[in-house]
């Protein structure tokens, strides 16, 4: 059985790692994203500097959002401005905590 360690969490997002499988899971609004440690780092580094206003689109109801494509053409991640900020804040926190746990447990 995998030992799961929560790295970052609030009421909308949980980022946890499986210590045995070396997989990171991001739980967000009905979506579960799984990454190897290397994939998570690559995803975080590729997206952390994206500015919300540079990728702004409008949903059919007029709400401003950013849409991130995934490797699956029919599946995209959609973020409001607040969700965008919160998502990257939690990824940054998880990245920091992952490094802390590596130092403590190695």
């Amino acid at each position: 059985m995998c030992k799961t360690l929560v790295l970052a969490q609030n009421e909308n997002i949980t980022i946890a790692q499986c210590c045995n499988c070396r997989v990171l899971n991001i739980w967000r609004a009905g979506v579960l994203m799984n990454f190897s440690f290397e994939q998570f780092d690559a995803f975080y580094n590729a997206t952390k500097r994206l500015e919300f206003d540079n990728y702004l689109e409008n949903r059919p109801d007029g709400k401003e959002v950013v849409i991130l494509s995934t490797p699956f053409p029919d599946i995209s991640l959609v973020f409001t401005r607040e969700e965008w900020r919160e998502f990257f804040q939690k990824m940054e926190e998880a990245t920091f905590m992952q490094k802390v746990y590596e130092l403590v447990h190695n």
Side-chain angles (χ1 to χ4, degrees), residues 4-17 24-28 86-95 97 101:
T4 302
L5 180 63
V6 174
L7 299 173
Q9 184 176 37
N10 65 16
E11 62 277 355
N12 301 315
I13 300 169
T14 299
I15 302 176
Q17 75 178 25
L24 276 154
N25 300 301
I26 301 176
W27 300 79
R28 178 188 171 265
E86 178 183 63
F87 186 71
F88 287 100
Q89 182 181 36
K90 288 299 151 197
M91 286 209 322
E92 183 176 333
E93 184 180 323
T95 299
M97 291 307 297
Y101 287 121

Side-chain angles (χ1 to χ4, degrees), residues 30-33 67-78:
V31 175
L32 172 60
M33 295 175 274
I67 301 171
L68 282 182
S69 298
T70 70
F72 303 99
D74 296 330
I75 300 174
S76 297
L77 303 174
V78 179

Side-chain angles (χ1 to χ4, degrees), residues 58-70:
N58 290 308
R59 292 190 323 201
D61 65 3
K63 189 164 188 108
E64 294 180 331
V65 295
V66 164
I67 301 171
L68 282 182
S69 298
T70 70

